[in-house]
Amino acid sequence: MAAAAAAAVVRGIGSKLSHNLRELRIHLCQSSAGSQGVRDFIEQHYVTMKKANPEFPILIRECAGVQPKAWARYEFGRERNVVLDNLNSEQVAKALESLITKP
C-alpha cells in the first residue's frame, strides 16, 4: 500500500520537475539506518523520475555519515532543502513533492 502511494506521488512529481526548478540533489549515506528510506526511494523510483524528465538534472550524492537531505535549486540560484533522516520511501516522496511544488 505504501509503495503504491509513493508511486502516485512520484508520477505527480515527474510532471512538475522542470517548471521553476533547475536541479534536484539528494544527499545520503550508503550504510546508515537513517538513510534507508532514501535508498529505498532511489531504488524504487529514480528510474521512473528520470524517464519522465530525461534532460532534468537529478543528482544523487552518497557520502559516509552524511545526514540525508534533498536540495532543490530554483530560478536565480535560490535553494531550499528538507531533511530526510529516518523517513520511509513514501515519506521521502512526499518531502520531495513539497520541495518541488512549494518553492
Side-chain angles (χ1 to χ4, degrees):
M1 187 87 150
V9 170
V10 168
R11 282 191 298 276
I13 289 172
S15 63
K16 299 173 187 166
L17 274 183
S18 60
H19 291 293
N20 64 349
L21 194 61
R22 297 294 175 244
E23 176 184 273
L24 182 63
R25 290 186 315 274
I26 300 173
H27 296 202
L28 70 146
C29 176
Q30 306 96 315
S31 58
S32 76
S35 290
Q36 184 61 51
V38 180
R39 290 192 300 272
D40 293 344
F41 175 84
I42 291 168
E43 282 181 21
Q44 298 166 8
H45 303 295
Y46 175 80
V47 172
T48 303
M49 284 178 36
K50 197 60 184 171
K51 281 183 178 180
N53 303 278
E55 302 297 320
F56 187 82
I58 302 171
L59 309 173
I60 309 299
R61 300 289 182 246
E62 295 179 324
C63 182
V66 73
Q67 181 184 39
K69 282 188 181 182
W71 292 83
R73 186 170 51 86
Y74 305 94
E75 294 175 324
F76 310 114
R78 197 168 58 85
E79 290 190 349
R80 279 186 56 219
N81 72 74
V82 63
V83 176
L84 305 173
D85 202 16
N86 293 315
L87 301 182
N88 64 34
S89 181
E90 181 180 354
Q91 292 167 324
V92 170
K94 288 180 181 177
L96 292 177
E97 183 180 38
S98 75
L99 274 179
I100 291 163
T101 58
K102 299 172 189 150

